Amino acid sequence: MELRQLRTFVAVAEELHFHRAAQRLYIAQPSVSQQIKALESELGVKLFERDRRNVSLTPAGTVLLAEARELLACAEHAVALVRAAGEGASGRLRLSLTRSLTGGIAGAIVNAYRERYPEVELELAVGNTMMHVHQLHAGTIDAGFVRPPLQDPQLEELPLGREPLVCVLPKGHRLTRRSTVRREDLYDEPLVWWPVEHGPGAWHDVRHDVYGEPPWPPIARVEPEEERIVSAVAEGAGVSLIMYERSRSLRIPGAVYRRFAPPEPTMGIALAWRRGESLPTLDRLRDLAAAIARAREIERVA
């Protein structure tokens, strides 16, 4: 049996009229008759009782009508799934966020993607920039949010903007009496910072933005995550820098945040994937991320 024959059969069975069925299918009536005869011949049963005035289903035709409707519905469902997968509206996407920015623009992109493509199986993880680089090389994720620059010829980056940094100070520090902090206020302060291997490009980029040209002040203490960094500052180990967006949700007793006086130091964020990779779900993510980044930049400038 062919799907074309089943569609023709269902049209005749529902119309109980060969001419109306032909009009519904936009084909000639002789073609409808030929397809029904071929279907009856293949099945070895009579599907319709017909004379010059009336057409009615036989018992075998009644059974086939229910089955044919179900088969055609399954076929249409399969077509819809395949098209959705080809267009990136379904399937799977493995995406990892940076620990320092699970909210902000990365969170906005993830939320928008989920809302627009609810049929996509979105596998989310959290890591740091170099972890994402290694995972992309290994093929265990499809895309990852990173702190640029990566300078990796095997990967491509989509810049999404830059986020302001704030200064983290221990409670009672002399700089907490100010509403804003200047870059030069930190030159003689011990710095609590994250390991360079977590993101060498951003590690150097931010220190250059805050301190200018090397030599830079030595790092007093290294901590792997922002929670540990802010806790170390609260304990009096030094001062530090974290993303403004992250500071809004990360509150640890004994630590105080202060914005920088303009121009504020910033840290970039980007979306990275394997060079030349083109998955439908990844293509849709890149398009959506670029659109959200453009909208945010327009809003910022305005």
Side-chain angles (χ1 to χ4, degrees):
M1 288 185 296
E2 298 178 4
L3 291 177
R4 176 174 58 93
Q5 292 174 325
L6 290 178
R7 290 191 184 96
T8 300
F9 165 75
V10 170
V12 176
E14 291 177 346
E15 299 291 342
L16 292 177
H17 196 284
F18 278 69
H19 181 65
R20 287 198 298 269
Q23 290 180 318
R24 172 172 155 180
L25 297 169
Y26 299 100
I27 60 177
Q29 183 173 330
S31 178
V32 172
S33 299
Q34 290 169 6
Q35 289 185 47
I36 296 300
K37 286 180 181 179
L39 186 57
E40 289 177 326
S41 175
E42 183 176 347
L43 294 174
V45 296
K46 195 173 184 180
L47 299 173
F48 294 99
E49 295 287 356
R50 47 191 179 263
D51 56 33
R52 292 183 179 180
R53 293 186 178 181
N54 298 305
V55 175
S56 61
L57 282 166
T58 64
T62 300
V63 171
L64 180 60
L65 179 57
E67 298 297 326
R69 283 170 170 162
E70 186 173 343
L71 284 169
L72 291 173
C74 288
E76 289 172 3
H77 181 64
V79 169
L81 288 178
V82 170
R83 286 177 176 166
E87 294 168 357
S90 69
R92 182 180 70 159
L93 180 67
R94 300 168 300 171
L95 175 64
S96 195
L97 298 154
T98 60
R99 288 195 177 98
S100 61
L101 192 60
T102 52
I105 190 170
I109 290 168
V110 170
N111 292 339
Y113 189 86
R114 276 180 164 151
E115 182 178 351
R116 186 168 299 185
Y117 305 109
E119 298 303 317
V120 173
E121 181 187 354
L122 186 59
E123 295 183 8
L124 284 181
V126 178
N128 59 56
T129 292
M130 291 312 295
M131 184 185 297
H132 294 168
V133 169
H134 296 319
Q135 290 171 331
L136 286 169
H137 287 168
T140 56
I141 62 172
D142 301 311
F145 290 97
V146 297
R147 295 300 184 185
L150 295 183
Q151 299 176 333
D152 189 321
Q154 298 181 51
L155 302 178
E156 293 185 68
E157 299 174 50
L158 172 66
L160 300 174
R162 300 189 68 85
E163 299 275 348
L165 290 162
V166 299
C167 182
V168 190
L169 301 165
K171 187 177 180 180
H173 191 281
R174 60 182 177 84
L175 294 177
T176 60
R177 294 192 293 270
R178 301 182 183 178
S179 57
T180 59
V181 174
R182 300 169 301 173
R183 287 174 167 84
E184 54 266 32
D185 293 332
L186 303 183
Y187 289 173
D188 296 323
E189 296 289 338
L191 178 66
V192 180
W193 202 223
W194 39 276
V196 63
E197 58 268 20
H198 281 191
W203 191 91
H204 288 90
D205 191 39
V206 170
R207 296 196 73 194
H208 188 278
D209 195 9
V210 174
Y211 298 106
E213 295 295 332
W216 296 321
I219 295 175
R221 183 163 158 181
V222 174
E223 292 289 350
E225 297 178 351
E226 285 182 319
E227 289 84 352
R228 290 292 312 145
I229 288 174
V230 177
S231 294
V233 172
E235 294 166 7
V239 303
S240 192
L241 313 158
I242 69 168
M243 304 296 300
Y244 169 69
E245 187 68 33
R246 187 71 176 97
S247 72
R248 297 173 65 184
S249 59
L250 181 57
R251 299 292 175 177
I252 293 178
V256 178
Y257 300 121
R258 286 291 181 268
R259 297 289 294 264
F260 279 89
E264 293 180 292
T266 60
M267 185 185 292
I269 183 169
L271 183 68
W273 61 91
R274 287 178 291 280
R275 184 169 297 279
E277 184 94 328
S278 182
L279 298 171
T281 52
L282 176 59
D283 293 343
R284 299 292 80 77
L285 174 68
R286 289 192 295 238
D287 292 344
L288 183 61
I292 290 175
R294 285 195 299 271
R296 286 201 163 206
E297 179 60 21
I298 291 171
E299 182 179 344
R300 187 188 67 80
V301 173

